[in-house]
Amino acid sequence: IYTEGFDGITVSGNEIANFEGTSAQDDKGIWLALNSKNATVEKNNIHDLHYTGTGGYGGHGIMISSAASSCNVTAKNNIIYGLSGDGYSYSGSLATDNPIGIAIGLGGTTTQSGINIYNNTIRLSGSTLNKSGALSMGIRVGDGSTVVDIRNNLIVNNLGLLAATGDGACGLFVKTASTQLSACDNNCYYINPTAGAKNFGRIVTTGQTTLAG
């Protein structure tokens, strides 16, 4: 489901699953693109978006790239699982070429604000990452996204490396600084891939494996 330029839209109660996985692209269950405002994405079941090739991509449950100030976009009470791909370097301009439950912003800079992520369940699993710097992420807050409120989400990320190449798994990734978040409370994380990093949070390149940091 793709929206662009809508002011006041609700995307609710859909089951989105089982896309064709061989094309060289990041499949997205729901994408709120340029100038999507005053939008609610709720009660959707998004699953089994698997990239099966070797070109460096990954499935996304929900992508928010409104590029609008105070856009007032809320994603709540969604279930997202079964995303995978071989991924790509998480630190470059193609950082969203990775499996991501909820992606806030594109791989480069997306200047936007006023995004709320509440009460979502995200579960990633498997061993498919196979590119240098590849990182699976439960939620990703990209460069330029600010006033992001993330609360009461359940994030299980066990999606790790196929072999020895790649980075690993992360619950919440923040591209620039913790100041991008207006709130980040009462989220539950379980991060335990078979191979690769196990970070419940990561800001820029610094991963956290415990609440103490």
Side-chain angles (χ1 to χ4, degrees):
I1 297 176
Y2 177 86
T3 75
E4 181 176 338
F6 283 93
D7 189 343
I9 185 172
T10 298
V11 181
S12 178
N14 300 282
E15 180 165 15
I16 303 169
N18 301 312
F19 289 10
E20 174 272 317
T22 58
S23 297
Q25 61 189 23
D26 302 313
D27 286 333
K28 297 170 177 58
I30 298 172
W31 186 357
L32 273 61
L34 186 65
N35 287 320
S36 295
K37 302 176 183 178
N38 301 308
T40 299
V41 178
E42 64 177 353
K43 303 176 184 177
N44 299 284
N45 186 3
I46 304 168
H47 60 93
D48 293 301
L49 307 183
H50 301 289
Y51 172 66
T52 58
T54 60
Y57 297 96
H60 303 157
I62 298 170
M63 165 70 82
I64 301 169
S65 59
S66 171
S69 177
S70 302
C71 62
N72 188 32
V73 171
T74 298
K76 62 181 182 178
N77 300 314
N78 299 284
I79 297 175
I80 300 168
Y81 63 95
L83 313 178
S84 66
D86 57 343
Y88 207 73
S89 173
Y90 78 93
S91 60
S93 61
L94 301 178
T96 51
D97 286 350
N98 281 291
I100 305 171
I102 298 177
I104 302 168
L106 299 170
T109 299
T110 304
T111 302
Q112 57 186 0
S113 63
I115 296 164
N116 308 305
I117 310 297
Y118 301 147
N119 303 306
N120 299 284
T121 298
I122 300 168
R123 185 178 188 276
L124 309 182
S125 61
S127 301
T128 64
L129 302 177
N130 199 31
K131 294 293 185 184
S132 177
L135 182 70
S136 62
M137 293 164 267
I139 299 174
R140 179 184 187 273
V141 181
D143 191 19
S145 296
T146 58
V147 196
V148 179
D149 188 343
I150 301 175
R151 285 184 279 176
N152 303 314
N153 299 281
L154 174 60
I155 302 171
V156 177
N157 188 356
N158 298 329
L159 177 52
L161 309 186
L162 176 65
T165 301
D167 192 307
C170 180
L172 170 62
F173 176 83
V174 179
K175 174 63 176 176
T176 306
S178 61
T179 52
Q180 292 181 261
L181 308 176
S182 60
C184 186
D185 299 312
N186 303 317
N187 301 292
C188 293
Y189 306 90
Y190 181 81
I191 315 298
N192 192 30
T194 301
K198 303 176 182 182
N199 297 155
F200 78 84
R202 186 179 295 194
I203 299 175
V204 194
T205 59
T206 302
Q208 305 297 334
T209 58
T210 68
L211 288 175

